[in-house]
Amino acid sequence: RYEKWWLTLGTGSLIIFLIILGISAFHQGHQPPSAKAYINPEQVDAIAPFDEPGLKKVEGKEWDYELVLVASTFLYNPGEVEVPKGATLKIIATTKDVIHGFEVAGTNINMMLEPGYISEYTTTLDKTGEFLVVCNEYCGVGHHTMKSMIKVV
Ligand code: CUA
């Protein structure tokens, strides 16, 4: 009698566990954690704000500068940018082709750029210096040459 009860309970929890696993796998597969909103990667050049990549000073927002960035094999557009110390920077980025990384050495900035998704990161730049931007996702033969720079002055 008791054995049967335990067996039912065991089977029941196993089924619940599998359902939860299935749901979370589904969500992860459809929505990468660092990215939101779907855009057509082939039309990045025509979709705002990516039709005008670059660093812009903004007013009336919680951040001072926006860096609209488009990655493609094997470069970042824009390349080197200069931001004043103490400024809050919002990075809005995507890729035109394959998955690229956007890691700023010596900071917490580390994003995965996935085709079709917009990745965002907001940070305050407290230290002056030249911060190397590197691609940390293997993207092809030129992967190791894919670099840029954020200068905090
Ligand atoms: Cu881009 Cu590695």
Side-chain angles (χ1 to χ4, degrees):
R1 245 203 180 176
Y2 276 112
E3 280 171 21
K4 201 175 178 184
W5 193 82
W6 280 113
L7 194 70
T8 311
L9 189 75
T11 313
S13 10
L14 188 70
I15 289 166
I16 291 166
F17 175 74
L18 288 174
I19 289 168
I20 291 168
L21 203 72
I23 290 168
S24 57
F26 178 82
H27 278 287
Q28 275 170 14
H30 286 254
Q31 185 72 316
S34 66
K36 60 174 189 181
Y38 182 81
I39 55 165
N40 185 341
E42 284 166 19
Q43 290 172 7
V44 162
D45 289 334
I47 301 168
F50 302 108
D51 53 345
E52 285 176 51
L55 183 74
K56 294 166 192 102
K57 177 114 176 70
V58 294
E59 301 288 341
K61 293 190 180 175
E62 282 168 42
W63 47 91
D64 310 305
Y65 286 87
E66 278 175 9
L67 175 59
V68 176
L69 184 124
V70 178
S72 58
T73 307
F74 302 99
L75 50 89
Y76 296 106
N77 180 20
E80 202 175 288
V81 292
E82 207 175 276
V83 186
K85 184 191 167 191
T88 299
L89 175 70
K90 182 172 185 175
I91 303 164
I92 305 163
T94 192
T95 164
K96 286 205 296 197
D97 41 45
V98 298
I99 292 177
H100 295 283
F102 186 92
E103 183 182 356
V104 186
T107 73
N108 290 330
I109 307 169
N110 188 358
M111 292 192 290
M112 191 197 271
L113 310 181
E114 292 167 273
Y117 289 94
I118 300 169
S119 299
E120 296 184 344
Y121 197 102
T122 305
T123 187
T124 301
L125 303 158
D126 292 324
K127 278 185 286 181
T128 57
E130 297 188 342
F131 297 91
L132 189 68
V133 177
V134 292
C135 178
N136 57 3
E137 295 286 337
Y138 184 75
C139 52
V141 287
H143 164 68
H144 65 283
T145 65
M146 191 163 170
K147 289 186 178 80
S148 183
M149 180 88 79
I150 295 179
K151 280 187 181 176
V152 183
V153 293

